[in-house]
Amino acid sequence: MNATTLAGLLAAMAVAVSGWASPPGDLDEAATISRHAPRPDRERPVVAVLGYNASTEVTDYVVPYGILAESGVAQVVALSTAQGPIRMSPALQFEAQATTREFDARFPGGADYVIVPNIYEGASDPAVLDWVRRQAARGAILVGICDGVPVLANAGLLEGRRATGHWRTLPDLERKHPGTQWHRNRRYVADGNVITTSGVSASIPISVALVEAIGGRQKAEALAAALGVADWSPVHDSAPFKLTAGHLFTALGNKAMFWRHETVGLEVADGVDEISVALIADAYARTRRSVALSVGEAERPIRTRRGLTLVPDRVSKGAGQPSRMLPLFEHLPAAQALDRALDGIAASYGSATADFVALTMEYPQKRGER
């Protein structure tokens, strides 16, 4: 979910958040992602990560791609709905490896898994909804990340199912889609061929859980250790995630202090870790104090560590240089970049801003334990 507009923040304050405990039922079953059933005509499953060119949530898109590509258990394809770069929100820009049309021509039998991020205005695009429905009809497991969940709901794929979503979106989803049993206190919920997750940061545990479903527990444990992921269970406490007057004061105050706004840069070159870059840029761009930009050495796309194409926002020594450059924490496992970014935000803008960023990402940070 984006850092939210002023109108969105005010609307969220009006939402009465209640009933945080999940309703009784078979959530133990819903917490289990089924073991992948291989197709006889494929050596490895195919995972499609959907992007909408106008705007796609950067962590929702990049983290599942990066983790699944790193694992080697699947063929992962980064998609866009049209030719040209994908404008990520709230920061960065990537080029897809194929359009949805090109993917369909290459894989007429469809994907095994489709990752659906928050695609903002694309959530009700008829062409997107039709493509998602066709993938489901061909046997794909659909995975809605954060506010990618409304895409699946709008496509009619959550009717009569159990699901979850971002804390701020759930009340609206409950009103618009009463035929779905909505659950809190879960990072992800699986029901048949549909998996849904809570906030932006749930992209990390669900991606490792998919690796386990495809490649087994041992593979998932080795990958989690390499990435710095301590736990990928669905366990989650939703209660702390609600917008308070303090959060609103922080967000509005940061936006109003325009004279203290700054641009921050991330130096990118071939082989850069796209997971770390996405997590850091996403976090800083949510502060309402900073704009996060990628900076390359030349006017050319960057090939990231796991095969994505990143389009730099600026060229080093060119015009419009950032106020300061941020560390990429390349010596640390990639998933730990978010913790380090939140530490840096707290040091630069105060702990209240770091807490607001963690809230928007539904990230259960543990201050003082990092």
Side-chain angles (χ1 to χ4, degrees):
M1 170 164 285
N2 196 357
T4 70
T5 63
L6 173 59
L9 284 166
L10 292 170
M13 279 297 290
V15 173
V17 180
S18 60
W20 284 110
S22 292
D26 48 359
L27 269 184
D28 287 341
E29 178 186 347
T32 303
I33 297 176
S34 299
R35 178 78 174 170
H36 171 66
R39 297 190 186 189
D41 59 338
R42 288 182 180 170
E43 183 177 340
R44 291 188 300 163
V46 174
V47 178
V49 184
L50 179 64
Y52 193 74
N53 293 71
S55 187
T56 299
E57 212 301 321
V58 63
T59 295
D60 292 357
Y61 187 89
V62 173
V63 167
Y65 172 89
I67 290 178
L68 285 156
E70 173 82 6
S71 74
V73 301
Q75 182 177 358
V76 189
V77 186
L79 302 182
S80 60
T81 50
Q83 294 288 348
I86 304 171
R87 181 69 254 177
M88 297 293 175
S89 183
L92 305 180
Q93 189 170 205
F94 286 87
E95 291 180 356
Q97 297 165 336
T99 64
T100 50
R101 178 174 293 185
E102 291 167 342
F103 179 86
D104 290 344
R106 184 179 175 188
F107 299 101
D112 294 87
Y113 297 86
V114 174
I115 309 295
V116 182
N118 180 5
I119 56 175
Y120 299 91
E121 61 266 31
S124 56
D125 186 321
V128 171
L129 300 182
D130 285 345
W131 187 82
V132 168
R133 292 187 195 105
R134 288 198 302 273
Q135 290 297 316
R138 292 169 183 167
I141 293 176
L142 283 298
V143 185
I145 306 291
C146 186
D147 272 356
V149 173
V151 180
L152 304 185
N154 293 341
L157 299 176
L158 298 183
E159 186 68 22
R161 297 185 184 276
R162 297 157 299 184
T164 190
H166 189 282
W167 64 267
R168 183 171 170 260
T169 311
L170 272 172
D172 190 50
L173 287 169
E174 288 170 331
R175 288 191 297 270
K176 291 181 178 179
H177 303 280
T180 302
Q181 187 181 70
W182 297 101
H183 293 278
R184 293 169 172 82
N185 292 327
R186 286 295 185 276
R187 295 300 271 167
Y188 51 84
V189 171
D191 191 335
N193 69 333
V194 177
I195 302 170
T196 52
T197 81
S198 56
V200 176
S201 62
S203 59
I204 297 173
I206 189 57
S207 299
V208 179
L210 289 174
V211 171
E212 181 175 359
I214 298 169
R217 182 74 182 186
Q218 186 173 358
K219 186 74 174 181
E221 288 176 345
L223 176 68
L227 293 174
V229 179
D231 173 64
W232 60 95
S233 78
V235 176
H236 180 55
D237 182 8
S238 297
F241 296 96
K242 59 185 72 175
L243 192 67
T244 66
H247 293 130
L248 186 60
F249 179 81
T250 297
L252 295 178
N254 284 357
K255 184 176 179 64
M257 291 187 295
F258 60 89
W259 61 91
R260 297 179 64 185
H261 291 184
E262 64 174 348
T263 56
V264 294
L266 297 97
E267 186 175 359
V268 295
D270 288 336
V272 69
D273 192 313
E274 62 276 89
I275 295 175
S276 296
V277 169
L279 291 171
I280 296 167
D282 200 342
Y284 271 88
R286 290 170 182 271
T287 63
R288 307 175 77 82
R289 284 278 302 276
S290 52
V291 175
L293 302 172
S294 60
V295 181
E297 292 183 354
E299 292 184 1
R300 65 172 183 84
I302 300 298
R303 185 172 177 81
T304 68
R305 181 174 301 180
R306 301 169 186 91
L308 281 180
T309 300
L310 188 157
V311 181
D313 299 304
R314 296 286 188 274
V315 175
S316 59
K317 299 181 181 179
Q321 290 301 298
S323 307
R324 61 188 174 101
M325 300 298 290
L326 299 174
L328 294 181
F329 309 109
E330 293 177 303
H331 62 292
L332 295 174
Q336 294 182 7
L338 180 54
D339 288 323
R340 300 286 86 80
L342 290 169
D343 286 340
I345 289 168
S348 296
Y349 311 136
S351 60
T353 297
D355 290 342
F356 174 74
V357 170
L359 174 74
T360 66
M361 300 181 80
E362 200 162 339
Y363 184 59
Q365 62 167 336
K366 298 177 180 178
R367 190 168 301 287
E369 296 183 18
R370 297 199 291 273

